[in-house]
Amino acid sequence: MSLRQSSTARMKVSLPHPHDWRTTDADEINKRRWRAQTEAPRIFQLDHRHPIFSNFRVGSSSGLSYDVEIRSLARRLFSCTCVDFRTNALGTCKHVEATLLYLEARYPRLFQKARRNDDSPLIDIVPDPAAQTLRIERVLDRVPGPLQALVCADGRLRGDNPERTLEQLRRARIQNLRISQEVEPWLEAQQQIAERRALLREYEQKVQAGEWPLQETLVPLYPYQREGMLHLAFKERALLADEMGLGKTIQAIAACALLHRLEKASRVLVVTPASLKTEWEEQIQRFTKLGYQLVFGPRRKRLALYVSAPFFTIVNYEQMLKDALDVNEKLKPDVVILDEAQRIKNWNTKTAQAVKRLRSRYAFVLTGTPIENRIDELYSLMDFLNPAVLGPLFRFNREFYELDERGRPAGYRNLEQLHRKIKPFMLRRRKADVETELPERSVRNFFVALSREQRDRYDEYETMVARLASIAKRRPLTPEESERLMRGLAMMRMVCDTNYILDPAEKTCPKLRELEKILEECRENSDVKVLVFSEWERMLGLVRELCERLGIGYALHTGSVPQRRRRAEILLFKNDPNCRVFLSTDSGSTGLNLQDASVVINCDLPWNPARLEQRIARAWRKNQTRSVTVINLVSEGTIEHRMLETLASKQALAEGVLDLRGDLKGIRFKSGRQALLARLQQMLGSSPSSADHEVHRPKPLPADRALAFSALAAEKMGQALLRCEERYPLEGSHSVLLVVVDADAALWREKLSALHKDVFTNGHSDPLSRIEVIDRATDEALRRMIEAGLVAPATRAVRGLYSRNGEAPGPAPLSEAEKQKALAYVDKSKRKLKMALLLESGGLIEEAREACLETVLWLGRALAVKNRLPEPADVNAALQAPLSHYWGEMLPAVGEFAAMPSLPAAHVTRTLEKIADSIAP
């Protein structure tokens, strides 16, 4: 039987302000009471013999269920199987409070009596962690006869084997004896500790005796790597935080192989970024003979793979958003490995929450950057490994943050204590710790002056940012202003590389000239291979053209390269002596082993020092036999130049907490707004004098530029215009506006080209459209040749824009079904966009970004239906021609957002809203 809580049992609960971190234990209990009231979970009584002092199952709003145990109302002795109860030290949780509300509503008189008299008829056996044994919770006046031989005077069970004593109690069949639901988990934990110690002794003895091999891998490990293997395998749930390049993947594989030998692991789940799945495949092949599978494909196929799995199953984080609970049920992994685990550093994201639902006895967290910005990130990692170590978030905040008068974080405290708490679980070695086994590394900064075109555009964006920074000093920015600010900063960084990233008509790139000298020098030495990193694919496109001009072989690793192709590109770079350059965005900055390279060139600098180190660590890592040269190409006197200081200062917090380096008391905390203002001041330096003046911007372009062009051409040409079409070639990402005129095609070509440029660029740029003008005679000749089979059409779609006298009419109007389908797609896009705005307002930036990308996809499909074109399968296809023309002037903003993981959703949400409103049929 199940009942919902009666409204009569509800009470007024006083809650602190949601942004005030200065909560007391009473405040936290009230929060849980409030959630119990508002969520109203379903309560099922499991034992009806005792109405109040019983066990209950609580169905949570998350779809999961938890077991609650009521032992005393007067002394508030309860138990729940949820994580919050185990870690918060409050003695309650929302499930317990919901059960109390249920009991008070259903048994009001019995409930009040139990609260006054504490007259539980049950004898409860509970764990006593301090004494490492079990005990009777309440010392009874008269111990029942069968218990007297088993219980000491203070209530503790006799003997040094709690399990054996517990079994004796069960056989005694003592009336009203209840063994608490806390006992089994406590006993299991004690058994696992003893088992780990015994297994370690057995392993060491058999290795020394020669029964088992010293190495668990096909390739011998370095001594520090073997230490890492033992740490993971025998700590059971552990954090391996070695600095990048020391072989965390290898150590995790070795630990799994060791657990396989000890018969403690038969299935391992590896959760890794999608770009590193094939890297895991390669390392598993190299170091073990254990079976593996890479999980791709639709959900139905993935679920089948989890059922019939080999030893290693390799998935990416995105797949766990939907599959985590199915993995628990079908795969039942013994070990879960989180690679590049900083992906769950934001504890309230959907990715982090999904991954933390994974269940396994063993868990390995691998990351070289447990802290990138704030200590909350370390909290999230430890929350996955063992929530009890750092406790609930409210206790963590109390313990390690200084709070201001509003209850907001103002500084850090007790960082040495934080280090002590995580130290038993964390193993961290720096390259300096094993420097005798690693080659040297040198860093050189090459300062490059901006071109005149770059400087003009850079000043434009800097003026806008400086004006917004000035406003931010006086008041918080509006969401629209914040969007413009973030976009302005991003564009300043893009222009530091080249205007080509924003405007494909401008290919000037001083960094490219500097890079050419470096590559020519490297080309002369046949033993040198080079990694070239940039955050932007268009910058790498220029580097690729440079390599082709210099005759240097290259491999490409970017987000647009299909996953199954990336491994081939990596192997090409590793195995082909003529492939000398590896071009990569930050999709290749984590996890890849590219020790074949000895030169790392950063075309641009990331905001975060950890990301910069990740790039460098692709080459400067274990098994590198040569010294590594790092070259940073830095635009002089720009935001990029000033970022060098920012990157150095950001390293202090991570080194302090993880390595106890530097003055921990000297580390300062800045709130989000303080940090933004400080960063802006540092990034901008002295503001340009024109900061208070409006920046000139070109007038908006029409949403459908091709249609606008045809209308203007018809107005300009009158009867001279016969037909205008937009044609889409089989190859390429552009479209062609075909204009058929009565006569004088050469004359009209010159005039219409100017009109085309005005409509399609107007101070912007659109390389995705071209114009061809032919006369009537040529058009008719082409038709005859096509009909005779002498010429084959090379177009995949034709869109009629204008026709005169019914000649070659344009496409028929949309049918009602087509209109409804397009409208349905637009509605879906608006729902996704609304979700993005809500998620972003709640601080769930990663989820907001995913919702924005889905919005782009649905808008692309609506446009495809409207123009009778193939519907795009993904976001990249939605941004490609022919649909790109209908984004109008908004395409740069949408394209930058889709290509840059660092841009927040606020950068594009309002732009997408305008597009959705403009394209409904």
Side-chain angles (χ1 to χ4, degrees), residues 328-347:
N328 292 337
E329 179 185 348
K330 299 179 183 299
L331 181 66
K332 298 178 181 176
D334 303 298
V335 186
V336 171
I337 302 174
L338 302 188
D339 187 25
E340 300 298 338
Q342 60 270 22
R343 289 290 297 271
I344 66 163
K345 67 179 183 179
N346 295 324
W347 58 271

Side-chain angles (χ1 to χ4, degrees), residues 20 34 74 81 96 155 232 264 335 498 634 681 703 712 717 758 816 834 873-874 894:
D20 189 341
W34 178 80
T81 55
V96 168
L232 293 173
K264 293 300 173 185
V335 186
T498 170
V634 182
Q681 186 174 357
L712 291 172
M717 299 176 64
D758 184 47
E816 191 60 32
K834 184 177 181 180
D874 52 36
V894 180

Side-chain angles (χ1 to χ4, degrees), residues 53 62 67 93 108 150 167 242 318 328 397 420 446 506 619 636 724 740 777:
F53 304 101
S62 65
D67 292 338
C93 64
L150 300 174
E167 185 59 33
D242 283 352
E318 293 76 10
N328 292 337
N397 292 339
R420 286 196 299 272
F446 285 29
E506 294 185 26
E636 196 171 13
C724 183
V740 182

